[in-house]
Every structure is written in structure tokens, then in C-alpha cells.
Amino acid sequence: MMVTDDFKQRAKAKLEAASSGKFFQSNTARLLPSFDRCATAGAGAGADADAGADGSEDIDEITLGVLLGEGAFCDVKEVTAIVLKRKSNSNSSDNDDNSEKEKEPKQSHEIDEADFPVNLFENKSEIRKYMSTNCMRKDDDDRDQARYALKQLAPTNVQKKLEQALIDISIEAKFLACLNHPNIIKMRGVVGEPLSPNFGLVLDRLYMTLEDKMESWTAEKKMATSGGVCGCLFGSG
């Protein structure tokens, strides 16, 4: 299912209105890359199709794994591989205006709460390469663990539902691009064409829900108040 040019114009007007708020005026968007995705992938289309309507080959740089969760308009799937097929160039949106030549990433050991480098990359092309190379990592048991997940539109044959979902996920993308807080999931990039059914958000893959975390905090509190931390501090027991 496709969207009309008229819808895209109306949606862009809504996004521009949302972007004029105080939040966006006081928060700068982070450097975020984009990844190519089949035009036929996404809501209302077969995600395994590999050719466009004109018969040309579509490029899909994201490989998806298991379903992690579902919502009213979207679902979230694990990203098992990122294979770069598009070659970046000086005209690409994934390069900074002043970086016609790709530079070597700066050496830095600073990472954020999700083990992602901070202030390391000169342009979006470098981030694309890093994410492709480091799509998987080892967990404490030396097993492969996905770093990222893709939030995408759920399949639908209802045009109004598709259009509302596109507006919602596009506004969400704008907010997440500006948010940088250790307790809020980070968006690492986007896939597909904005305001198209194949659009999606590349997020950090979570391995603990809020419910799990609350149970962990409860267990830590019990330990601290029953001869654990407090016992060590005050000599009880």
C-alpha cells in the first residue's frame, strides 16, 4: 500500500509545525545515519520482495530477526545484520557538508550507556560502517547478541491507519533524534524513505524490560536492608 503525494505534503506541514516547538529550538539533533531498505518492504507489502515497481533492484541493507514486540501501529524486530550496499559519496546525505573525503575515525574510548562510541565519528558514513561492523556483540556467556532493533510499521490494508502511523513514527523520529538521556532508549539511525511505508527507526536492542528492572531494584533493596550493604556499613549480623 502506497501513500499519495497529497498526504506527504500534509504530513510534512504537520512535521514542520511540530519541529517549530520550544523543544526542538533548544535541542540539537544528533548525527544519525540512514540505511537503505526495499521500497516494497514495510506496511502493506511483502518484506521479502527484492525489486521495485519498475523492475529495478531494490537495495536492502538491514537483515531482520525475531519479533520482539508489537504495538498499535508498529512492530519491533531484532536486527541480525547490516550489510552496506550503497557507496557513500560527497553528495550523499550521510556525509557532512565539509567531508568530501572520508576521514579516519577519531580514537576515543568514551562510550555511552549502551556501549556506543561518543564523539568518535566525523560523519554519518563512519557511523554506518561502525554499525555494520559491530552489529553483533558477545554477551557474558560468549554468545552472539544483537545490538540493534528495528521499529517499523505493522502491515495494514487500511489507508487511514497507515497514514496516521507514518505521522506518528515520523514525529517520534524527530524527538528521539534530539534526545540524549541514559534512561531513554536511543535511536541510532533510520531506514527507508521518510513518510513511506518502508520507513523505520534503528534503536538500541533492549534485553531488560521495565518490569525486569523493577524486580532487580526490589531484590537489591531487600539485600541492602537485610544484612547486605547496610550490614556491612553498620556492622549488623
Side-chain angles (χ1 to χ4, degrees), residues 98-116:
N98 298 325
S99 59
E100 292 188 5
K101 278 187 176 181
E102 290 183 7
K103 303 174 184 177
E104 289 296 321
K106 292 182 288 186
Q107 297 301 313
S108 171
H109 297 290
E110 186 180 0
I111 57 175
D112 64 16
E113 68 284 349
D115 196 29
F116 196 90

Side-chain angles (χ1 to χ4, degrees), residues 68-129:
L68 301 175
E70 296 176 280
F73 295 126
C74 297
D75 58 44
V76 179
K77 290 186 176 181
E78 189 174 79
V79 175
T80 57
I82 300 176
V83 181
L84 303 183
K85 301 177 181 179
R86 164 168 49 90
K87 292 183 178 179
S88 298
N89 53 58
S90 58
N91 296 322
S92 170
S93 62
D94 280 332
N95 284 293
D96 290 341
D97 295 337
N98 298 325
S99 59
E100 292 188 5
K101 278 187 176 181
E102 290 183 7
K103 303 174 184 177
E104 289 296 321
K106 292 182 288 186
Q107 297 301 313
S108 171
H109 297 290
E110 186 180 0
I111 57 175
D112 64 16
E113 68 284 349
D115 196 29
F116 196 90
V118 177
N119 300 323
L120 175 63
F121 306 105
E122 294 285 348
N123 54 50
K124 297 176 184 179
S125 178
E126 290 179 358
I127 304 177
R128 277 169 49 85
K129 289 181 178 179

Side-chain angles (χ1 to χ4, degrees), residues 152-197:
Q152 60 182 357
L153 300 184
T156 180
N157 292 318
V158 181
Q159 189 70 30
K160 285 190 175 181
K161 185 176 180 180
L162 171 62
E163 292 177 354
Q164 184 59 54
L166 279 170
I167 292 175
D168 286 354
I169 197 172
S170 298
I171 291 177
E172 181 179 1
K174 282 187 170 292
F175 274 100
L176 288 179
C178 296
L179 287 172
N180 189 14
H181 191 283
N183 293 333
I184 299 177
I185 192 170
K186 283 189 172 59
M187 182 173 71
R188 301 300 181 182
V190 297
V191 302
E193 293 294 325
L195 295 176
S196 295

Side-chain angles (χ1 to χ4, degrees), residues 115 130 150:
D115 196 29
Y130 175 86
L150 178 68

